[in-house]
Amino acid sequence: RIVGLSATLPNYADVAAFLRVNPETGLFYFDSSFRPVPLQQQYIGITEPNPMKRLTALNQVAYEKALSSVAEGNQVMIFVHARNDCFRTARAIMDFAIQEDKLSMFETTEHKLHEAGTRDIQKSRNKQIQELWEGGFSTHHAGMLRSDRNLVERLFSQGLIKVLVCTATLAWGVNLPAHTVIIKGTQIYDAEKGGFM
């Protein structure tokens, strides 16, 4: 019997113990050396104590990384920790692009499927994805209608969305062609403590 695990499950040893697999003969762990494309990780620390300035700095760094990746012809996913931060982040990055006159680098109007994508977006009642569409941006989170989430996933897979800002719900079981993944911030909301930790 063969059991395959997703790369998003780091506790492979626990699963093997639960399944009573002999770790010497029946457990196989494939590290990054098996990847066809090498994985690079980069950490950028922002130590700004003022929350508003820290948020602006986070958005600025996300914009710069997204711009450099899109300039190379790649797509970008930006993970945020709250649903309401999806649109705010996408809008902030789009605004940076407008200020620097670089929005054309994110737009996908030349794509052969852009017209069909525009028709599909116009059918949606989600004003946020409609507002972000022409810039080549979109959002994805559990608070959206399933039909809108499916639409965004399809348009991103087709290359019609250059930057997708999403929550961790998209990380589970969806295989999308993102070359660059940005995790914006390390603070998450702890309901028991009533604040971000």
Side-chain angles (χ1 to χ4, degrees):
R1 202 169 3 172
I2 298 173
V3 176
L5 293 179
S6 167
T8 57
L9 294 176
N11 59 336
Y12 61 91
D14 295 337
V15 176
F18 174 77
L19 295 174
R20 297 189 185 105
V21 171
N22 181 340
E24 300 300 320
T25 59
L27 175 63
F28 303 97
Y29 169 68
F30 300 96
D31 61 12
S32 61
S33 66
F34 288 87
R35 293 180 57 87
V37 177
L39 181 65
Q40 297 176 351
Q41 294 182 10
Q42 183 180 33
Y43 298 93
I44 300 172
I46 297 175
T47 58
E48 174 61 51
N50 180 306
M52 292 309 293
K53 288 182 180 177
R54 182 172 54 241
L55 180 62
T56 302
L58 280 167
N59 287 335
Q60 178 72 39
V61 169
Y63 163 71
E64 290 168 2
K65 291 295 175 187
L67 179 65
S68 68
S69 186
V70 167
E72 295 174 2
N74 300 314
Q75 291 176 274
V76 180
M77 291 175 69
I78 301 174
F79 285 95
V80 296
H81 298 290
R83 292 177 186 178
N84 60 2
D85 198 27
C86 284
F87 178 74
R88 285 195 307 247
T89 298
R91 187 69 237 191
I93 293 172
M94 198 167 153
D95 288 343
F96 279 127
I98 291 168
Q99 288 170 10
E100 294 186 5
D101 199 26
K102 304 261 181 165
L103 189 60
S104 61
M105 294 181 72
F106 295 93
E107 293 172 345
T108 59
T109 52
E110 301 299 317
H111 196 287
K112 63 183 178 182
L113 298 173
H114 187 268
E115 196 173 309
T118 300
R119 282 194 300 273
D120 291 341
I121 286 287
Q122 288 171 346
K123 291 176 190 172
S124 170
R125 289 181 287 171
N126 186 320
K127 299 295 181 210
Q128 293 180 342
I129 62 173
Q130 289 178 349
E131 181 180 331
L132 297 168
W133 166 250
E134 286 303 323
F137 293 81
S138 196
T139 60
H140 187 292
H141 58 77
M144 294 169 60
L145 293 174
R146 182 72 229 163
S147 58
D148 287 336
R149 284 182 283 164
N150 288 341
L151 173 62
V152 167
E153 290 169 19
R154 180 172 55 81
L155 294 174
F156 189 80
S157 293
Q158 293 172 337
L160 288 162
I161 296 170
K162 292 285 186 179
V163 177
L164 179 59
V165 183
C166 51
T167 58
T169 55
L170 194 58
W172 296 96
V174 179
N175 190 13
L176 293 174
H179 174 276
T180 302
V181 175
I182 299 169
I183 301 172
K184 184 185 154 195
T186 56
Q187 292 184 326
I188 57 170
Y189 187 78
D190 188 339
E192 291 179 10
K193 296 184 178 170
F196 283 90
M197 305 303 293

